[in-house]
Amino acid sequence: MKDSYNAKVALVPPEAPVYFSCREPEIQSVHHGIQSRHPVVISGDSGMGKSFLAAKYTSIHGKKFSLIFWISCESRNLAYSILQNICNSLLLAVTSKSGRPTERSEIRHVANQYLERASDYLLILDQADGTNIVLDILQGVTEFSGSVIITSQDEHFAELLSARLRRATQSRPTTRVKLVRLLRWTTQQTYLSLCSKYQLSKPLIVPL
């Protein structure tokens, strides 16, 4: 993405496609969840456009946030490496024992303190298909003061995150997690998307 807010992005998300028709309702659902201060989980099968949907939302609404963090959760090592880079970029003190790599628990503790205090960020946890990685990163978080989007193939991840927050808060009210489920396009939606992508004029009769 080449918008002016790009300098605020700790790690640049994938380029949002100019064409992204037929997903406007899902973008609105994500926006409604963010406005309602709920973490949003975008769920769907591989190749459904979960990351692109998050990137498109960021390209549309990114200017509203002071900071945007995009963390790829393909592997635990990669996720923690990115998380440590974010801590460093924010000048958050992450201590380590002399001569040893920084412990993941310390990175997680410092990052989670920030997530609970700051309120003007957008955090995207992308490709959270190994749900244990994200739940590990968010271990100890009782609430999010900023905005959070998570993409995952696991349709039950929203329930898992809700259960984790419920256990962390115990008797306090828990944060509701909003699920945005991407369904496979109909033939008509695919046709309209291709027309949008290649700037084709649409006939009056659309094939069903």
Side-chain angles (χ1 to χ4, degrees):
M1 289 180 291
K2 299 178 176 62
D3 294 316
S4 59
Y5 70 85
N6 218 23
K8 303 187 302 183
V9 181
L11 288 153
V12 180
E15 183 124 2
V18 176
Y19 59 92
F20 205 74
S21 60
C22 302
R23 288 299 190 199
E24 287 80 4
E26 288 86 349
I27 292 175
Q28 287 301 316
S29 292
V30 171
H31 187 52
H32 181 267
I34 294 297
Q35 285 188 314
S36 301
R37 311 296 294 175
H38 300 315
V40 176
V41 173
I42 302 173
S43 177
D45 295 335
S46 177
M48 293 293 292
K50 299 181 295 295
S51 297
F52 276 145
L53 180 63
K56 188 65 175 178
Y57 176 84
T58 305
S59 71
I60 295 172
H61 299 286
K63 294 181 178 66
K64 300 175 182 178
F65 303 96
S66 297
L67 288 168
I68 301 169
F69 308 123
W70 188 285
I71 300 180
S72 174
C73 299
E74 292 181 77
S75 72
R76 198 178 303 268
N77 286 339
L78 176 60
Y80 269 100
S81 175
I82 296 172
L83 195 61
Q84 183 169 11
N85 288 339
I86 290 174
C87 289
N88 293 339
S89 68
L90 293 172
L91 302 179
L92 301 175
V94 180
T95 59
S96 61
K97 296 180 180 179
S98 179
R100 295 184 180 181
T102 306
E103 294 286 343
R104 286 176 177 173
S105 59
E106 182 60 27
I107 298 172
R108 180 176 62 229
H109 174 71
V110 172
N112 288 346
Q113 280 189 324
Y114 176 85
L115 294 177
E116 290 187 334
R117 290 198 311 264
S119 60
D120 54 354
Y121 64 82
L122 172 62
L123 170 66
I124 301 99
L125 297 168
D126 188 35
Q127 295 181 308
D129 304 322
T131 54
N132 287 336
I133 296 176
V134 175
L135 295 178
D136 179 46
I137 289 175
L138 299 179
Q139 188 180 141
V141 173
T142 58
E143 61 182 348
F144 299 102
S145 295
S147 302
V148 179
I149 297 174
I150 302 172
T151 71
S152 176
Q153 292 185 42
D154 189 342
E155 62 180 327
H156 301 296
F157 186 76
E159 298 173 17
L160 294 173
L161 182 57
S162 293
R164 168 61 64 84
L165 293 173
R166 186 162 53 250
R167 287 196 300 270
T169 55
Q170 294 180 353
S171 60
R172 287 186 292 161
T174 57
T175 302
R176 177 175 171 266
V177 178
K178 181 176 181 62
L179 174 64
V180 177
R181 176 73 174 164
L182 297 191
L183 303 176
R184 293 196 177 277
W185 280 352
T186 63
T187 302
Q188 181 177 352
Q189 287 175 311
T190 302
Y191 176 77
L192 293 175
S193 179
L194 290 172
C195 287
S196 174
K197 176 178 179 179
Y198 295 108
Q199 299 181 339
L200 303 175
S201 59
K202 306 180 189 67
L204 294 177
I205 300 176
V206 178
L208 300 176

